[in-house]
Amino acid sequence: MFLAANPYFQRRFSHHDNLLRNFQSAIMSVSTVGNLGSMLVLTKLQARANYPRRIAASLVLNMAVFTLLALSTKLFLGVSPGVYFAFLMAMVLSASLAAGLCQNGVFAYVAGFGREEYTQGIMTGQGIAGVLPCIAQIVSVLSVPPHKEKERADGEPQQSSTSAFAYFLTATLISALALLAFTYLQRVHTSSVKLDSSISSLPPSRERKSIPLTRLFKKLAWLASAVFLTFVVTMFFPVFTQTILSTHTPSLSTPRLFQPPSFIPLAFLFWNTGDLLGRTLPALPSLRLTAHPKLLFALSIARAAFVPLYLLCNISGKGAVVNSDLFYLVVVQLCFGISNGYLGSSCMMGFAEYVKEEEAEAAGGFMSLCLVGGLTAGSLLSFFAAQAISI
């Protein structure tokens, strides 16, 4: 949601060059550092963890964050860029804590069922979560009449507060629906567990044994390293995506889909669509590489070859080496997304094969920790990319 809202944030920071240049990397860094911190704490608190409660709490926090963001598009519009930046970082940090609660809770909760396809389903759900905000952003921009869009001094249109309000409010509504759906699912599951427990005369719950992270890493070294490196490389794409423009000559007569408020979310949509497609591929047994963790590790390193391809595109409107939107959207964005989804999903599905049944929940939390660690490292490295392409 934060990445696809880039055109709106560009408008809010348009009069502050330093914030305009670095806000995207700041969003990613604050988000991933906050997410990693919460994941470290939550992964340590295994013994008496209530994973359903963590999932529900994350959705409630999400609803609060995006309601405040929606209100910020209509209220206090006269605050300075610095004040708005501080508010935005507070919202990003809160959303990252929600993400930590959700990721830790969901992967551990699902791992407890001992079914690989459940984890693959969660990975697919994350892919959908990447696609929907981009669609919502494009629709919210195109639904606002052109004369209501703001224009910069150079004539380049920017996203209006009306479309941003609708966009952020969409996240609140989706979180509310997810909370209702999960509450219903949990009630059904709890009733089923109680019935099974009464029949078998077994206690419905037990305190978990805390599993050392070092033991989990020894068993999952290749997969943990592969998922870490996969997401380190992935975090370079938002920095380039926010600056690459369409090869169409910018003017008021340019189709709105190829103007920055729509084209940037469109590029994110292509990447996330590829990511979603990649996450579904391991569902086919013939394409599953969970039995080859060393190969997954090698592929996670090889996909770094995608990063230089961005330099061939129209960065900051300075001209493209390959003068084609199709090359950028399909060859670079879509294929890069596919590689992320496929490798990430394969790693997250495969860990259950290498740990004992009683270690499955802890291993699920540990693998999600490695995933977030990769996002954090990649977001911090992205500052260097942001500085390099701004020269």
Side-chain angles (χ1 to χ4, degrees):
M1 294 296 295
F2 285 105
L3 294 176
N6 181 72
Y8 176 73
F9 296 139
Q10 284 182 331
R11 175 189 163 196
R12 294 298 297 257
F13 300 127
S14 60
H15 299 298
H16 197 296
D17 290 340
N18 190 41
L19 291 179
L20 183 62
R21 184 170 58 252
N22 293 301
F23 80 88
Q24 189 73 79
S25 293
I27 286 175
M28 292 190 297
S29 297
V30 170
S31 176
T32 52
V33 169
N35 197 351
L36 178 62
S38 63
M39 290 287 287
L40 284 169
V41 173
L42 293 170
T43 303
K44 280 290 186 182
L45 301 176
Q46 301 172 25
R48 302 191 64 85
N50 187 322
Y51 294 118
R53 186 176 297 172
R54 290 180 181 182
I55 296 170
S58 72
L59 293 169
V60 172
L61 184 54
N62 251 354
M63 291 164 59
V65 167
F66 285 100
T67 298
L68 289 173
L69 282 167
L71 293 175
S72 74
T73 66
K74 298 295 183 181
L75 304 174
F76 307 108
L77 298 179
V79 299
S80 67
V83 171
Y84 185 75
F85 179 78
F87 165 77
L88 180 60
M89 291 302 103
M91 294 299 98
V92 170
L93 180 61
S94 299
S96 73
L97 297 178
L101 283 167
C102 191
Q103 283 189 296
N104 176 267
V106 166
F107 280 114
Y109 182 69
V110 169
F113 292 94
R115 301 283 294 272
E116 276 190 356
E117 62 269 29
Y118 288 4
T119 301
Q120 198 271 338
I122 296 300
M123 292 298 291
T124 301
Q126 287 191 333
I128 295 173
V131 169
L132 290 182
C134 305
I135 295 175
Q137 173 75 336
I138 294 170
V139 170
S140 65
V141 170
L142 297 182
S143 63
V144 176
H147 66 274
K148 289 189 177 182
E149 294 289 344
K150 304 296 181 182
E151 292 183 21
R152 286 200 330 211
D154 57 7
E156 181 181 291
Q158 292 194 311
Q159 184 186 355
S160 72
S161 59
T162 301
S163 60
F165 176 81
Y167 175 68
F168 290 129
L169 196 60
T170 300
T172 301
L173 296 176
I174 293 295
S175 297
L177 290 174
L179 179 60
L180 291 174
F182 181 72
T183 300
Y184 172 77
L185 174 69
Q186 179 62 13
R187 285 179 179 174
V188 171
H189 174 62
T190 301
S191 300
S192 176
V193 169
K194 287 181 178 179
L195 179 61
D196 291 343
S197 298
S198 63
I199 294 174
S200 61
S201 299
L202 292 175
S205 63
R206 58 181 173 81
E207 184 171 335
R208 303 172 184 85
K209 182 186 295 185
S210 183
I211 310 296
L213 298 184
T214 52
R215 184 200 304 177
L216 294 173
F217 181 75
K218 288 179 181 179
K219 294 186 176 184
L220 302 170
W222 291 108
L223 288 177
S225 300
V227 78
F228 176 85
L229 290 174
T230 293
F231 286 94
V232 167
V233 175
T234 289
M235 289 309 285
F236 283 88
F237 100 90
V239 176
F240 288 100
T241 303
Q242 68 154 333
T243 61
I244 294 177
L245 307 179
S246 170
T247 55
H248 287 70
T249 303
S251 68
L252 294 179
S253 62
T254 302
R256 296 186 71 194
L257 189 62
F258 294 100
Q259 295 176 1
S262 301
F263 186 76
I264 292 175
L266 180 65
F268 277 110
L269 177 61
F270 268 81
W271 193 93
N272 283 289
T273 300
D275 179 53
L276 175 58
L277 177 60
R279 289 169 187 255
T280 61
L281 293 179
L284 301 174
S286 59
L287 297 177
R288 196 172 297 174
L289 294 179
T290 54
H292 306 282
K294 292 182 181 180
L295 177 58
L296 288 172
F297 176 76
L299 291 174
S300 69
I301 296 175
R303 70 188 293 266
F306 276 99
V307 176
L309 296 181
Y310 283 102
L311 301 178
L312 304 178
C313 304
N314 188 22
I315 297 178
S316 301
K318 298 176 182 177
V321 176
V322 180
N323 194 37
S324 169
D325 287 337
L326 190 64
F327 169 79
Y328 168 54
L329 295 175
V330 177
V331 176
V332 182
Q333 292 288 75
L334 185 70
C335 293
F336 194 28
I338 290 174
S339 69
N340 179 77
Y342 178 69
L343 292 177
S345 190
S346 296
C347 293
M348 296 303 294
M349 286 178 65
F351 73 85
E353 300 177 15
Y354 302 95
V355 297
K356 297 178 182 178
E357 183 179 352
E358 61 269 20
E359 296 172 334
E361 286 186 337
F366 171 70
M367 287 297 290
S368 61
L369 175 64
C370 294
L371 187 157
V372 173
L375 292 174
T376 303
S379 68
L380 295 174
L381 290 173
S382 72
F383 272 106
F384 297 100
Q387 296 299 321
I389 62 178
S390 65
I391 298 176

